[in-house]
Amino acid sequence: MPIQISSVPDFLYGTAWKEDRTAALTELAVRAGFRGIDTANQRRHYFEAGVGQGLAATYLDGLVTRADLFLQTKFTYRRGQDHRLPYDAAVRVGVQVAQSMASSLEHLGTDYVDSFVLHGPSSGYGWSDEDAEVWEAMRKERDAGRTRMLGVSNVSLDQVEQMATAHDEPPAFVQNRCFARTGWDREVRRFCRERKIIYQGFSLLTANLEVLQHTLVNGIARRINATSVQIIFSFARALGMLPLTGTSNSEHMKQDLASREVQLSEDEVRAIESLAG
Ligand SMILES: NC(=O)c1ccc[n+]([C@@H]2O[C@H](COP(=O)([O-])OP(=O)(O)OC[C@H]3O[C@@H](n4cnc5c(N)ncnc54)[C@H](OP(=O)(O)O)[C@@H]3O)[C@@H](O)[C@H]2O)c1
């Protein structure tokens, strides 16, 4: 079957840490208007089969079709998993990648995902031979039509640079935790901009509580009748990021989506960017 083209949305709904509520919250997120869903085949932090159940409910209701959605999942190394593995621990990592993808497709009730992400390199430093083997296996999944695009997560500038040197094809996405104190991951974002890689920012709220409470952010929020959370998401987008939200609250889902209408001036964006880094 030819791959359906669904474009990259401007917001991703994150499904981590939702356990028994994963199906209901995924369904609620689609009802609220999210069209991008982020998950991982890592039972320790995600319940990917629950995401699939939530999606099935939205299809059944005629709310959306698979082609309307952008589904992103991840391959997670053994050391990032608990005992509930989506692959055989005894086989080579390249084979584990294929097994993890097959299991994700089953969980999500689809025959392709839109993005397949390496959850994190094998160590905090450098791009190892093991990472290279995983990346080549991920490319095979892409070439076989089981994912449209590929990405990497939890990478330093050094790692993403090494990766770009080691392989003839850069990732379509980098997904990183975004701390204000690092200039909101300024160096990695710059690299991504230069290479036309889409930068996905997560934990924008939970990693930056002091910024959310800062008088500068509160002042802008009051002036334009928005919430501080909406200012942060609007700011992230103004920097060129594709933001994720992990809310479990239907009102917050609506507010987070409404941040797309919040416009900040260039001066405000610069001021927030340099608040803490
Ligand atoms: N690649 C990785 O290694 C990795 C790691 C972590 C996370 N992620 C992805 O990123 C997603 C988001 O991560 P996160 O949960 O750390 O992100 P987050 O969106 O920064 O944090 C979620 C928190 O923000 C609150 N929140 C959201 N919208 C709000 C609003 N409008 N008003 C008030 N509070 C609001 C939520 O509370 P309420 O529930 O009360 O709204 C929740 O406590 C995850 O679900 C996962 O998909 C990826």
Side-chain angles (χ1 to χ4, degrees), residues 179-191:
F179 290 102
R181 66 168 179 272
T182 63
W184 306 84
D185 212 6
R186 189 180 281 117
E187 296 303 314
V188 175
R189 285 192 294 109
R190 181 180 302 139
F191 180 86

Side-chain angles (χ1 to χ4, degrees), residues 93-120:
V93 281
V95 180
Q96 290 177 359
V97 167
Q99 292 177 347
S100 185
M101 171 62 102
S103 159
S104 286
L105 297 180
E106 198 179 319
H107 287 158
L108 297 170
T110 183
D111 53 9
Y112 73 97
V113 291
D114 297 279
S115 167
F116 189 37
V117 172
L118 172 57
H119 212 152

Side-chain angles (χ1 to χ4, degrees), residues 118-241:
L118 172 57
H119 212 152
S122 57
S123 91
Y125 304 94
W127 184 254
S128 67
D129 290 348
E130 199 179 23
D131 295 326
E133 184 179 340
V134 164
W135 188 250
E136 290 309 320
M138 290 173 64
R139 284 175 60 164
K140 279 194 190 138
E141 293 302 305
R142 196 268 321 274
D143 293 346
R146 289 186 280 273
T147 181
R148 292 174 54 225
M149 290 177 266
L150 298 173
V152 285
S153 182
N154 298 301
V155 282
S156 63
L157 176 64
D158 187 42
Q159 286 174 315
V160 76
E161 278 178 347
Q162 280 191 40
M163 181 205 183
T165 308
H167 303 277
D168 54 15
E169 183 191 333
F173 301 105
V174 162
Q175 183 186 95
N176 269 2
R177 179 168 276 121
C178 204
F179 290 102
R181 66 168 179 272
T182 63
W184 306 84
D185 212 6
R186 189 180 281 117
E187 296 303 314
V188 175
R189 285 192 294 109
R190 181 180 302 139
F191 180 86
C192 288
R193 198 167 48 244
E194 287 166 5
R195 303 292 174 113
K196 300 199 174 3
I197 298 168
I198 296 177
Y199 180 98
Q200 302 181 5
F202 68 83
S203 298
L204 285 160
L205 309 177
T206 46
N208 302 300
L209 295 178
E210 70 295 347
V211 175
L212 269 174
Q213 287 153 11
H214 197 280
T215 48
L216 173 82
V217 173
N218 287 335
I220 299 170
R222 260 197 312 279
R223 189 180 61 73
I224 60 178
N225 199 22
T227 68
S228 295
V229 167
Q230 288 176 322
I231 300 298
I232 298 304
F233 285 132
S234 169
F235 159 75
R237 221 172 266 112
L239 289 187
M241 284 187 216

